[in-house]
Structures are given as structure tokens and as C-alpha cells.
Amino acid sequence: MTQTTTRTIKGETVPVLGLGTFGLTGPEGENAIRSAIDLGYRQIDTAIRYGNETEVGRAIRASGLPRSELFVTCKIWFDDLAPDMVARRTGESLDRLGFDFVDLLLIHWPSSDTPMGETLAAFAEERAKGRTRLIGVSNFTCALLDEALDVHKADLFCNQVEYHPFLSQAKVLAKMRRWGMLLNAYQPIARGKVFDSEVLNAIGRQYAKSPAQVALRWLIQQENVGAIPRSSRPENLRANIDVFDFELTPAEMAAVHGLASGRRFSDFDWAPAWDEPMPSHEGGRP
Ligand SMILES: NC(=O)c1ccc[n+]([C@@H]2O[C@H](COP(=O)([O-])OP(=O)(O)OC[C@H]3O[C@@H](n4cnc5c(N)ncnc54)[C@H](OP(=O)(O)O)[C@@H]3O)[C@@H](O)[C@H]2O)c1
């Protein structure tokens, strides 16, 4: 198999592994983001809600890399999805980042207050203005994707959802593959809980890899899937992208799929009605 660190989605090249930045704030956070870039991360995931866009922008500039080498994602919170707020929040984000554009602008969570069509039109407007190259969503279920894609004909690059060995995303992934979208997996190492899994430890021992590395490998070995692990420590940042020199067998992939138990770490009262976890070992392969 050809090892690759990028994926082509809708003709765009995106690094399969990115840096999650929730909690990476202040000088320490900025240092961690800078370390990650030095170690080779080229996709950075931020959000207005994380309060660290200034740090992300500064870390990228301090790296000395051209802006074009980084893939930067930002997200707008669900209570700011009215069209005038989308425009205002996007401008404020770009000011904090210190950039003219982001690569990907996401609806952070669906809103039950603002009609989806209005928000998607406002996002498309930001793309037309060149303030984002691509648009997408986060925490969208199959029903919400149907509305966005079938009813509103949105051209979505990505749906960022919680995805790790303890939570199946087979249904939503199958739909996204049909539309050629990227599923970017957040909380890909289940906030560190992967270390408690004997299955992941046993597989890791075969390759001298940690359970976190096995979980990340399992994710990026699936078509249309990327992942954005977060770490504040250089040793963990380094380990999390050291996953391109081994390959899980079909039996090992199936064993990791078999760990899905519907366990979620991001479930809030504003969350949509989630799709039922489906105990498929195929991840909804088309
Ligand atoms: N769209 C959304 O609604 C949404 C929701 C949640 C998260 N996200 C995004 O997804 C990113 C990742 O999620 P997350 O940060 O909650 O969870 P995560 O990446 O699954 O786990 C992060 C935790 O694992 C530890 N860790 C990381 N690498 C490790 C390693 N190699 N060995 C041991 N421990 C390790 C980190 O601690 P150390 O810092 O000590 O390494 C941290 O406590 C976020 O930062 C954010 O960008 C998006």
C-alpha cells in the first residue's frame, strides 16, 4: 500500500491527520501548536468557541511556512448562524487569525432556531467572497445531511463528527461517501480512553505502537476519513502522526470496529437526535 499523509476530497488535497486545538490557549497553547507544525502537522482545527484563533495565527506565522501550506479550519457556534452573524463572526475570526481566508468554515453544531437554508446560503456567500475556500458542517446526522445536501443543494466538503473505536459512525459515513465528503473524526483517541482497551493494546503490541496510534491508523485507513487528535505534549504530538509506517489487517480493522458500543464524549442538550449506532464492521463501504 502506498503510504500517504493526504487525501483528495472533491479535488482538494487535505492532510489526513490534523491538530485538534481545543484547550490549547495562551502561550502554552501557542507553543504546542507551533511544535505540532514543526513536527509536520499541516491541518489545524480551531473554532471561535475555543478562544485560541489568535494563538493559531501566531503559531502559523512563527513557523515561517507559507500560509498555502497549512489547511486551517474554523467553526461558527450554533447561536451565531443567522446570515448577518455568519458574516460578522467570519470577519472577526479572520482578524484574530490574521489571515485573509480560512480553508474550511464549519457550522459547529446544527441550530434549531435559524433555518438551515439561510445559514448555508450565508456560508456559500463567505466562500464566494473568498473568506473561506470550502464550507462544511459538524455534528450533522444523516437527517441533517439530507436536508443540507438534498433540499438546500449545499456543496459540503466535510462533516466533522465524534468518531473513535467506541462509537460507530457507519450510517453517516456511508452517506458521506456517496457524496464524496470528508468525515473528519474528532476525539479520535476518545480523550485517551483508548489506552484502556485490551484489544487496542494487543494490536499495538504487534507493531510496537500505542493504542492511540492504532486508533488513529484505524481511522485513516477508512475511505473518506481523517482525524484531528489533540495533544499539548510534544511526545504525544509526535506519536500521533507516527502512524504511516504500519497497516492494520482486515481482521484487525474488524476487531477495532467491533469495539463500538455507542459511547459518546460530546453529547449536550443542544445536540441533534443522533443516528443509531450500527454494529457494522464495514463502516458503510459503498
Ligand atoms: N466539532 C466539535 O464539536 C468538536 C468537539 C470536540 C472536539 N473537537 C475537536 O477535536 C479535537 C480532538 O478532541 P479532544 O481534544 O477532545 O480529544 P482527543 O484528541 O481524543 O484526546 C485528547 C486527550 O488525549 C491525550 N492524548 C493525546 N495524544 C496522546 C497520546 N499519544 N498518548 C496519550 N495521551 C494522548 C491528550 O492529553 P495530552 O495533552 O496530555 O497529550 C488529551 O487529554 C479537539 O481538540 C477539537 O479540535 C471538535
Side-chain angles (χ1 to χ4, degrees), residues 22 45 50 138-139 160 191 230-233 236 240:
F22 176 74
D45 179 74
Y50 302 168
S138 179
N139 297 301
Q160 186 183 116
R191 290 187 171 165
R230 179 205 46 137
S231 177
S232 53
R233 299 169 199 269
N236 290 348
N240 292 348

Side-chain angles (χ1 to χ4, degrees), residues 19-24 45-47 50 75 77 106-109 137-139 160-162 164 185-195 210 212-213 216 228-240 265-266 268 270:
L19 176 71
T21 69
F22 176 74
L24 300 182
D45 179 74
T46 185
Y50 302 168
K75 317 184 200 78
W77 197 241
L106 301 181
I107 296 175
H108 201 149
W109 286 86
V137 296
S138 179
N139 297 301
Q160 186 183 116
V161 295
E162 179 173 346
H164 46 68
Y186 76 68
Q187 292 172 338
I189 55 175
R191 290 187 171 165
K193 295 290 181 222
V194 290
F195 284 87
S210 74
Q213 290 170 312
L216 292 169
I228 48 168
R230 179 205 46 137
S231 177
S232 53
R233 299 169 199 269
E235 63 271 25
N236 290 348
L237 290 168
R238 186 177 291 109
N240 292 348
F265 295 89
S266 286
F268 306 103
W270 60 77

